[in-house]
Amino acid sequence: MIVNNRCFNVCFIFRPFRVPILTGCHSSIPLWWASLCDKKILNQPLEKPDFFRVAELFSLKDLFDARVHLGHKKGCRHRLMEPYLYGCRLDHDIIDLDQTMEHLQLALNFTAHIAYRGGIILFVSRRRQFGHLVETTAKDCGEYAHTRYWQGGLLTNANIQYGPGVRLPDLIIFLSTLNNVFQQHVGIRDAAKMNIPTVGVVDSNCNPSLVTYPVPGNDDTPAAVELYCRLFKMTINRAKDRRKQMELLHGLSADARERRHV
Amino acid sequence: NLAAAGPEKFTLEYIQKQVEEYEIGKRHLANMMGEDSENFTQEDIDLFDFIYLFFLLKQICFYFQHPDEIFPKQRAVQWGADGRPFHFLFYTGKQSYYSLMHDLYGKILKIEKHQDRLRAKGLFSQDAQLISLGPSRWLTKEELELLLVETISTHDYDRFIKLMERMLAMPYSSTEEEFVQRYRRQLEAQSMKQMMPPLEKDENGVAFSTAEGRRKTSDSSVILRDCGSGHITINGQDYLQYFPVLQDREQLMFPLQFMGVLGRFNLECTVSGGGRSSQAGALRLAISRALLSFLSEGDGEAMRQAGLLTPDPRVRERKKPGQEGARRKFTWKKR
């Protein structure tokens, strides 16, 4: 069950991971201690609302300077985006940055938790202007990107497309939910079909309904997209570093971790 | 789309087993021949005939080559034990192709940044340092597929070539020359010069040259000696005996008569296969080629223009089923 809530202090419920946590642990550590450490590592971030302190990464001024509040013209407005808009000035829609702040904090927090648990994150954007930037961001985080033509069965027909036994992404981040013909990206619908949570930057002409963690904001300006890429990269790196620290802290050495994955 | 290629035909263990067997067989062969088993290379193996190998190794081996050259290249499993794929573009489906495009675009951006820095300093010049590629061509689509170990469409290939051309058209692209050369193949330099046989001298100091010629199914070999007499020997016999028909002898003499050196050379010819006319044609071609080394460039060009140096490509066309001959159809009956 995925809960999409606006209130910041409530705990989240994730979809169950397919990553086996304890498989063939042949280390000298007793199994009960290893399982206890694992539970501690996994449950500790859930105790605090903002364990990774993602709220410190950006401020409202940063969003404003990056022109995140600029939407499209009134004629392009999507009906379901009306709650997220602050207003309209000379036919240009202005997105409410207070709401954007909340949504972005939720989204970054969720991404951080996914990255902490070793989930696969896929960055998707069909804008040619930012394709290279998105791919470099994904490479720097150690995650995956797809900024090319989306073949039909990539998620829904994965066993035939990639080979049997493939692991699908655990989170998909859309830096632009539209494709090149201004229709909703197929990936949103496919992710919803495959029970994969999505984080999406929705502009004033996009449909936010199927996106799990929508982030109302501008997806056309280079400054805004660079800001998003920077924020996601920082959260993911932070979460991964935190995970390494926690593992060292709870007495599990590196080779025990590898044996755990084998 | 991996499934379109079919299931993985040869597992990794099978190929490794084949490699081990190949190595053992190679050492076995080297020991049998008394050669050095450590430095026995594929070239030494290629010298052996198929039948000889059969008697030596007591088994039929059609391909005595390294398994990497026999079995097609395949993709190993793309993800690790925890399920995470190795390549960051794995989920696109065509990871090698898209990563190539990504790198190429990265290089274009780097060149543009370099240009901006030079413009800021005021050192930018439009006509600087375009890459010199020489006589080369782009990789064909099939060669690119082999290189990337995955199938790409014509559209993808065209986009790749366009992007490469765009990069080459930018000034200051010479920094990426090595990257570009990886995707170009050298063309064989088409020389306009004729291949002439070398001029040798035998013990008596007489200059001679040897050449070969073919026509239909006849093969001939001619030794042209600069003696001063006009003797011609074909397969040991005199040419009058071998070619009783005037037409054949005319064919033989034509190159010498064309160049005006009728009485100068001695011809020692051997010819086999075909009929009398094709043997005469083969000899004519061989004589013309042998004559090239005794003549100047201009004379050689004149011979080429006359068509003496062109091998005749006409061979007997096969008979087709449903027809009486190669072209003749059976008699058509209206009813």
Side-chain angles (χ1 to χ4, degrees), chain A residues 53-83:
Chain A
R53 300 204 303 273
V54 291
E56 301 167 356
L57 289 174
F58 64 100
S59 68
L60 207 135
K61 186 163 188 322
D62 293 334
L63 293 183
F64 184 80
D65 289 334
R67 303 189 261 274
V68 164
H69 59 287
L70 300 174
H72 288 271
K73 287 249 197 177
K74 191 166 84 177
C76 299
R77 193 194 298 165
H78 194 100
R79 214 193 118 126
L80 295 168
M81 285 299 288
E82 277 160 18

Side-chain angles (χ1 to χ4, degrees), chain A residues 118-120 122 128 132 135-136 138-139 142-146 148-149 151 154 160-169 240 261, chain B residues 1-4 78-79 81-94 98-99 101-103 105-107 109 159 166:
Chain A
I120 295 182
L122 184 66
R128 270 188 64 186
H132 189 84
E135 287 181 342
T136 356
K139 210 192 227 172
E143 299 294 344
Y144 307 86
H146 185 108
R148 310 286 176 166
Y149 177 71
Q151 283 177 322
L154 282 188
I160 300 187
Q161 285 274 338
Y162 302 114
V166 72
R167 183 177 155 188
L168 285 181
K240 288 186 173 170
H261 283 306
Chain B
N1 193 351
L2 278 179
Q78 302 289 323
W79 50 85
D82 56 352
R84 289 187 76 107
F86 297 128
H87 200 275
F88 77 107
L89 289 177
F90 169 77
Y91 287 106
T92 54
K94 300 184 223 175
Y98 283 134
S99 99
M101 296 296 271
H102 172 77
D103 293 334
Y105 194 70
K107 292 200 190 311
L109 290 177
R159 290 202 78 156
R166 182 178 148 189

Side-chain angles (χ1 to χ4, degrees), chain A residues 90-110:
Chain A
L90 292 175
D91 263 8
H92 275 90
D93 286 334
I94 309 293
I95 298 169
D96 188 1
L97 282 183
D98 295 317
Q99 293 188 50
T100 306
M101 281 276 285
E102 290 173 14
H103 282 90
L104 193 53
Q105 273 164 355
L106 285 175
L108 287 176
N109 192 25
F110 186 65

Side-chain angles (χ1 to χ4, degrees), chain B residues 232-251:
Chain B
I232 302 180
T233 325
I234 306 180
N235 283 355
Q237 291 178 359
D238 194 30
Y239 72 110
L240 278 174
Q241 272 188 341
Y242 197 83
F243 286 131
V245 182
L246 178 67
Q247 179 197 332
D248 306 331
R249 290 199 298 272
E250 268 181 347
Q251 288 288 301

